[in-house]
């Protein structure tokens, strides 16, 4: 599935909601900062694809960071589901479901960012050879799946405070965050582990998350 | 928990509430060792949201405590291990929120699980699944009502555990099913549910005898 075909599956309602929210942001900014409605901005607003640059930079940064992680997960599950004989039959339904969610997250965040959305970065799912059999050995695959899911949970949690100024985007991020936690729980179960590490899930900073994720970026 | 004494106490509280004086209740209920909660108003702003979470965690903690005091007939070792861990998490969440709220915490709530058949694995786990999914949706919807970023991270540290619980409970009911990864709850945009207090409280009300009001929460 190409990025374009993914985007075409996105519910227009999301776009409308985000556009409406952007308008509200724009209005309040205009009130505070004086007239900002330059012709290019108005034109950009008319395009449903191109409003990412009108979100505050702090929010664009968080969404771009989240989109990077979702791209890694999306590619990881696509590759795993395509690899012959990697995923045992009894778990294919679960990984198929998880993969669908990650693809939907990529589409959602890309729509929210509009023209500011990044394409899928070049990836190395073996992390420079550290996980050389990532797509051949199910144990390795499972370890990486758990890593990506737990990392996603900690990453969204760590960024929630940076989204506090935008109710709609904060809520959407939380709605993705808990989906990642569901994934983490079942993937851990498949690996014969506890679905949690205690009563509270700790957040991670962007720097901590990037340190863990960067080896998977080619 | 002895359901007979629980029920009679509930009815007594109702009766004394109708009689209309706390003094009478105090005189008649000298031995329960709790402040008899005839009503609980959650309060404003962040305090209101934390009390809302505290109410839900009280409900969950009481539920799992009752489950483990009345183990259903076919409770497997795996069921017991997972339910015990979840109970301990919910107690930790409840106590954490109570501590955070200090003197502004709502009182202990009276609960009513008469609709649950504690002898039935299906009834117990089905109820647990409802509570966990309701908790996830409640935290997801309440995030935007929180002003203090520290509280937001704290709520985030709880909600992803609730999501992990939901997945684990669903996995007990339907082992290694796509539902355990969120199918049936997560929408096609990859987003988990988010509900407002005005939607969650009526869903929880049948299990909470104490009237819980949220005058200023949406």
């Amino acid at each position: 599935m190409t990025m374009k075909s993914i985007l075409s599956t996105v519910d227009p309602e999301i776009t409308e909601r985000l556009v409406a929210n952007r308008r509200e942001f724009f209005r309040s900014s205009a009130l505070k900062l004086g007239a900002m409605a330059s012709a290019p901005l108005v034109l950009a607003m008319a395009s449903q694809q191109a409003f990412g640059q009108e979100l505050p930079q702090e929010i664009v940064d968080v969404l771009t960071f989240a989109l990077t992680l979702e791209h890694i997960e999306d590619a990881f599950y696509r590759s795993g589901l395509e690899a012959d004989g990697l995923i045992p039959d009894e778990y294919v339904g679960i990984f198929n479901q998880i993969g669908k969610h990650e693809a939907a997250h990529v589409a959602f965040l890309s729509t929210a960012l509009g023209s500011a959305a990044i394409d899928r970065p070049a990836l190395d799912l073996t992390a420079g050879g550290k996980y050389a059999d990532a797509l051949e050995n199910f144990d390795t695959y499972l370890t990486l799946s758990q890593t990506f899911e737990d990392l996603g949970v900690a990453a969204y949690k760590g960024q929630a405070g940076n989204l506090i100024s935008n109710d709609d985007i904060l809520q959407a991020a939380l709605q993705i965050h808990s989906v990642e936690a569901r994934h983490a729980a079942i993937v851990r179960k498949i690996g014969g582990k506890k679905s949690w590490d205690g009563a509270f899930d700790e957040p991670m900073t962007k720097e901590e998350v990037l340190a863990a994720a960067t080896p998977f970026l080619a | 928990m002895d359901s007979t004494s629980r029920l009679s106490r509930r009815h007594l509280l109702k009766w004394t509430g109708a009689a209309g004086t706390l003094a009478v209740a105090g005189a008649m209920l000298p031995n329960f060792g709790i402040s008899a909660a005839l009503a609980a108003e959650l309060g404003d702003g962040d305090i209101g949201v934390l009390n809302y979470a505290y109410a839900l965690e009280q409900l969950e903690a009481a539920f799992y405590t009752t489950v483990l005091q009345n183990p259903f007939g076919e409770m497997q070792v795996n069921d017991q291990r997972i339910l015990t861990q979840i109970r301990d998490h919910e107690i930790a969440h409840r106590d954490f929120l109570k501590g955070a709220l200090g003197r502004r915490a709502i009182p202990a709530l009276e609960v009513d699980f008469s609709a649950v058949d504690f002898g039935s694995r299906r009834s117990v786990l089905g109820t647990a699944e409802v509570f966990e999914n309701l908790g996830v949706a409640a935290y997801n919807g309440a995030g935007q009502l929180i002003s203090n970023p520290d509280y937001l991270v704290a709520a985030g540290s709880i909600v992803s555990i609730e999501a992990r619980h939901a997945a684990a409970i669903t996995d007990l009911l339907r082992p290694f099913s796509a539902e355990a990864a969120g199918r049936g709850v997560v929408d096609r945009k990859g987003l988990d549910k988010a509900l407002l207090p005005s939607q969650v409280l009526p869903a929880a009300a049948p299990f909470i005898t104490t009237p819980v009001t949220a005058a200023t929460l949406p």
Side-chain angles (χ1 to χ4, degrees):
Chain A
M1 193 183 259
T2 64
M3 186 59 67
K4 198 175 173 191
S5 69
I6 294 170
L7 281 173
S8 70
T9 67
V10 174
D11 191 335
E13 178 198 313
I14 306 172
T15 311
E16 276 169 31
R17 197 158 67 101
L18 288 166
V19 168
N21 189 67
R22 170 180 57 109
R23 288 202 180 115
E24 198 171 289
F25 165 74
F26 185 75
R27 255 201 311 276
S28 62
S29 301
L31 283 174
K32 281 180 206 151
L33 304 173
M36 283 173 56
S38 64
L41 268 177
V42 171
L43 283 174
M45 282 172 68
S47 159
Q48 301 223 326
Q49 291 293 322
F51 53 83
Q53 67 270 34
E54 292 159 36
L55 291 166
Q57 190 58 43
E58 184 179 41
I59 286 179
V60 170
D61 288 348
V62 173
L63 296 184
T64 301
F65 169 58
L67 179 54
T68 304
L69 297 177
E70 298 289 355
H71 271 308
I72 294 174
E73 290 184 311
D74 177 40
F76 175 75
Y77 292 111
R78 280 169 201 273
S79 305
L81 288 160
E82 280 168 11
D84 247 3
L86 171 67
I87 300 174
D89 288 349
E90 62 264 43
Y91 305 133
V92 166
I94 287 177
F95 283 100
N96 199 36
Q97 184 63 62
I98 294 176
K100 278 186 193 172
H101 290 160
E102 308 303 1
H105 295 164
V106 167
F108 184 89
L109 294 168
S110 297
T111 303
L113 282 161
S115 61
I118 55 164
D119 290 332
R120 179 189 297 171
L123 300 175
D124 172 11
L125 296 177
T126 73
K130 187 177 176 191
Y131 304 101
D133 59 356
L135 296 175
E136 291 147 31
N137 181 334
F138 185 60
D139 289 339
T140 308
Y141 189 75
L142 212 48
T143 300
L144 289 178
S145 175
Q146 182 191 324
T147 301
F148 292 143
E149 298 298 342
D150 280 336
L151 192 63
V153 175
Y156 277 97
K157 201 188 316 294
Q159 294 304 309
N162 293 328
L163 300 176
I164 210 163
S165 64
N166 188 313
D167 286 350
D168 285 348
I169 289 180
L170 171 63
Q171 178 164 309
L174 291 172
Q175 289 173 279
I176 295 176
H177 167 248
S178 59
V179 172
E180 304 291 344
R182 290 176 190 268
H183 295 170
I186 191 62
V187 167
R188 282 163 160 259
K189 184 76 195 303
I190 291 172
K193 296 178 185 163
K194 281 202 270 188
S195 291
W196 37 73
D197 288 328
F200 299 91
D201 256 336
E202 296 296 321
M204 285 171 75
T205 66
K206 188 175 181 178
E207 290 67 32
E208 289 168 334
V209 173
L210 285 176
T214 300
F216 298 94
L217 300 172
Chain B
M1 193 183 294
D2 179 341
S3 66
T4 308
S5 69
R6 185 160 40 85
L7 283 173
S8 63
R9 177 165 55 142
R10 178 159 56 88
H11 289 141
L12 187 57
L13 284 172
K14 273 190 174 159
W15 182 82
T16 56
T21 67
L22 280 165
V24 170
M28 292 180 65
L29 301 169
N31 298 321
F32 290 111
I34 57 163
S35 53
L38 296 177
E41 164 54 39
L42 299 178
D44 300 333
D46 284 358
I47 295 299
V49 176
L50 293 179
N51 265 324
Y52 170 56
Y54 176 46
L56 295 175
E57 298 294 349
Q58 285 192 49
L59 176 65
E60 289 185 308
F63 173 71
Y64 290 106
T65 299
T66 308
V67 167
L68 288 155
Q69 284 171 348
N70 305 274
F72 46 82
E74 67 271 52
M75 190 179 278
Q76 308 288 316
V77 173
N78 189 47
D79 292 341
Q80 183 165 29
R81 187 172 55 230
I82 289 173
L83 289 167
T84 301
Q85 288 170 16
I86 294 178
R87 177 200 63 191
D88 293 347
H89 294 169
E90 306 299 4
I91 289 173
H93 296 166
R94 180 195 68 193
D95 292 350
F96 168 78
L97 289 163
K98 187 181 183 186
L101 282 157
R103 293 172 60 187
R104 285 180 287 188
I106 56 169
L109 301 177
E110 285 288 305
V111 293
D112 173 7
F113 297 127
S114 55
V116 183
D117 177 0
F118 286 97
S120 158
R121 183 176 190 269
R122 182 157 200 83
S123 176
V124 166
L125 295 180
T127 305
E129 191 177 37
V130 168
F131 283 167
E132 297 298 345
N133 282 325
L134 188 65
V136 171
Y139 279 99
N140 282 347
Q144 60 170 293
L145 306 176
I146 297 175
S147 303
N148 183 327
D150 292 337
Y151 296 163
L152 186 59
V153 174
S157 298
I158 295 174
V159 63
S160 56
I161 294 295
E162 304 291 347
R164 289 172 190 265
H165 292 170
I169 295 288
T170 299
D171 184 64
L172 289 179
L173 281 165
R174 296 178 291 282
F176 301 119
S177 62
E179 284 81 6
R183 186 164 78 190
V185 178
V186 177
D187 70 18
R188 64 194 177 90
K189 304 162 215 163
L191 304 182
D192 216 322
K193 289 199 190 319
L195 294 172
L196 290 169
S198 58
Q199 297 168 299
V200 170
L201 290 173
F207 302 99
I208 303 177
T209 311
T210 312
V212 175
T213 57
T216 63
L217 298 180

